[in-house]
Amino acid sequence: MPNASSSRVSLRYIKEVVYGTTPSTPTMTTVRRVPGGGGLQRNSQSVTSQEADASRTIPDTIETGYSAAFDYNFELQAGALDDFFIAALGGTTYTATLTAQTTISAVNSTNTIHRSAGSFITDGFKPGMWIKVSGFTGITANNGLMKIADGDSDVTATDMNIVLATKALADDAAGEAVTITGKMVRTGTANQDSFTFEQEFTDLTNVFLRGVGFRPTGLSIDATAGNVVTGTVNFLGKDVTTASAAFTDEVVTAAGTTQSMNATSNVVTFYEGGAAITTLARQLTLNINPNVTELRAIANPAAAGLIDGTFDISGALNLFFSDLTFLNKVINRTATSLWLPFSDGAGKHIIFTFPKVYLSGTPKEQGQNTPVAQDLTFTAVRYTGLTLTPSIMMQIDMIS
């Protein structure tokens, strides 16, 4: 009898329209995965009968409900994780695209991207969004990743003001075919996306697990010097069942081939307080908990639904101690911001933005002949400086 190998498991998903219901004739997207998350799990909730008789035996254990869970381990890749990032943050997704426009110019004096026709607002660009610019040929340094400033007046029909720390623009006249793209989601209440998962054990014959009603209950990221950037999405679901065939009329889309990002060549600059961090970093970790919990009700063995709680968002930035910049902010309880971009070799980007955080952590001696470390932790709190989304804690930009 053959035995299943974790290296032969295929995992795919589809976003549900109705919570806990798999769409008919589903087009399933195969995900790239790092084995070790445990796979789709159905967890029985049972109680032990308290009856007693002279035999000194337990008469029964009674199932009173069940739940489903799943931890999805991944390597950070642009494009592959967008659906899960969006579901974890729960806000509206904003997408902006402007393709091969010859009316675009760059203005050094105001660090502005200008257009003489059309509207940046109509094309979907928002204050605070990160954008990718390509197509400038006169001054090619104007191309690349940059951040739009946060104010309402920083995006008008004809102008977008760019944060100088992310890109210093040089004068470049219109006439070149310039493309600008952006896509972001912020913490919010606009969506409660849920997913159906299908797990196939391809080295066995017709052996499948199916899970429905899965929503993210946690997202973590680890970027450690010298390593691939990894992470985990924790899911809570409605149910997991077995099957001896794929879904009826199922179409399976192959996994992408986007490069996994690492903490060496795919990190150029992190930003704190709107300025580039020049202190050397050893490790960055992020933890996002949307506090999604089960709704338990009489006559419902599975959760009747999943409800949203308050976000808990925190992380750690482990640095080598070099000056008092961060320590002063820790001691004075000074709020700041963190912008954390990752960029692959194909010019695709994922940026984690925390508009308002508080830092903690003081320098630590680690032993003889070792560098002094400053292991900072940070906690995100509500930021109210954006009219479009007046109360957010985090933003993820996904440009692929």
Side-chain angles (χ1 to χ4, degrees):
M1 177 180 293
N3 296 308
S5 167
S6 60
S7 299
R8 298 287 305 279
V9 174
S10 177
L11 180 68
R12 46 239 192 195
Y13 77 96
I14 186 172
K15 187 163 70 172
E16 298 172 346
V17 178
V18 177
Y19 169 73
T21 302
T22 307
S24 58
T25 63
T27 297
M28 309 291 290
T29 300
T30 304
V31 297
R32 294 159 64 179
R33 45 181 280 280
V34 175
L40 298 174
Q41 302 169 39
R42 183 186 185 276
N43 302 311
S44 177
Q45 299 170 356
S46 61
V47 296
T48 300
S49 172
Q50 298 300 299
E51 290 183 351
D53 66 14
S55 70
R56 300 174 63 196
T57 58
I58 295 174
D60 204 357
T61 59
I62 305 159
E63 185 177 69
T64 57
Y66 54 83
S67 61
F70 169 47
D71 293 337
Y72 167 54
N73 295 335
F74 61 85
E75 294 179 350
L76 189 67
Q77 304 137 8
L81 302 159
D82 290 7
D83 285 342
F84 302 151
F85 287 162
I86 291 166
L89 265 59
T92 300
T93 302
Y94 299 97
T95 301
T97 304
L98 183 155
T99 305
Q101 295 294 307
T102 59
T103 61
I104 307 298
S105 59
V107 182
N108 170 264
S109 61
T110 54
N111 214 51
T112 296
I113 296 176
H114 175 76
R115 68 191 300 173
S116 58
S119 170
F120 287 125
I121 295 173
T122 301
D123 288 333
F125 295 96
K126 309 294 184 186
M129 176 182 276
W130 288 80
I131 56 174
K132 175 185 175 181
V133 178
S134 61
F136 279 115
T137 56
I139 304 293
T140 57
N142 286 336
N143 297 319
L145 182 68
M146 60 197 75
K147 187 180 188 295
I148 304 171
D150 284 353
D152 288 348
S153 61
D154 289 316
V155 178
T156 67
T158 58
D159 294 287
M160 292 193 296
N161 295 329
I162 303 302
V163 176
L164 184 62
T166 64
K167 178 67 69 173
L169 297 170
D171 288 328
D172 198 338
E176 301 150 357
V178 175
T179 294
I180 309 175
T181 58
K183 178 183 177 182
M184 71 174 182
V185 63
R186 292 168 173 161
T187 51
T189 60
N191 79 71
Q192 295 180 323
D193 289 346
S194 62
F195 304 92
T196 290
F197 283 95
E198 182 178 62
Q199 189 175 10
E200 179 181 6
F201 299 86
T202 63
D203 47 0
L204 305 180
T205 302
N206 297 325
V207 177
F208 298 81
L209 290 177
R210 297 174 178 174
V212 297
F214 279 84
R215 292 186 57 201
T217 59
L219 169 63
S220 60
I221 302 287
D222 186 325
T224 300
N227 288 279
V228 170
V229 182
T230 59
T232 299
V233 183
N234 311 109
F235 287 95
L236 190 64
K238 183 176 183 180
D239 197 9
V240 172
T241 58
T242 61
S244 57
F247 289 109
T248 302
D249 297 323
E250 172 185 280
V251 176
V252 176
T253 302
T257 58
T258 306
Q259 173 193 25
S260 294
M261 298 184 186
N262 64 76
T264 303
S265 58
N266 299 129
V267 178
V268 178
T269 304
F270 288 156
Y271 301 86
E272 180 273 324
I277 296 175
T278 57
T279 305
L280 296 174
R282 299 180 296 128
Q283 184 182 33
L284 165 72
T285 59
L286 307 177
N287 293 285
I288 298 95
N289 180 2
N291 280 304
V292 174
T293 56
E294 294 178 311
L295 184 64
R296 289 287 169 180
I298 292 175
N300 286 267
L306 299 175
I307 57 175
D308 296 329
T310 300
F311 282 96
D312 289 324
I313 299 176
S314 62
L317 185 59
N318 299 337
L319 306 170
F320 295 106
F321 183 63
S322 60
D323 60 36
L324 296 175
T325 301
F326 294 107
L327 184 56
N328 283 334
K329 292 184 178 181
V330 170
I331 292 173
N332 296 325
R333 190 66 176 167
T334 303
T336 187
S337 62
L338 290 172
W339 309 338
L340 309 169
F342 294 85
S343 303
D344 69 17
K348 301 177 180 180
H349 312 277
I350 300 173
I351 307 98
F352 302 98
T353 298
F354 304 89
K356 185 178 181 181
V357 300
Y358 289 102
L359 304 175
S360 61
T362 54
K364 297 179 181 178
E365 296 182 24
Q366 302 180 95
Q368 190 174 22
N369 302 321
T370 59
V372 176
Q374 183 163 16
D375 293 344
L376 297 170
T377 59
F378 62 88
T379 302
V381 296
R382 181 188 301 140
Y383 176 69
T384 58
L386 295 161
T387 301
L388 174 68
T389 47
S391 296
I392 72 163
M393 293 173 67
M394 180 183 179
Q395 170 181 317
I396 303 179
D397 290 77
M398 305 151 284
I399 306 174
S400 57

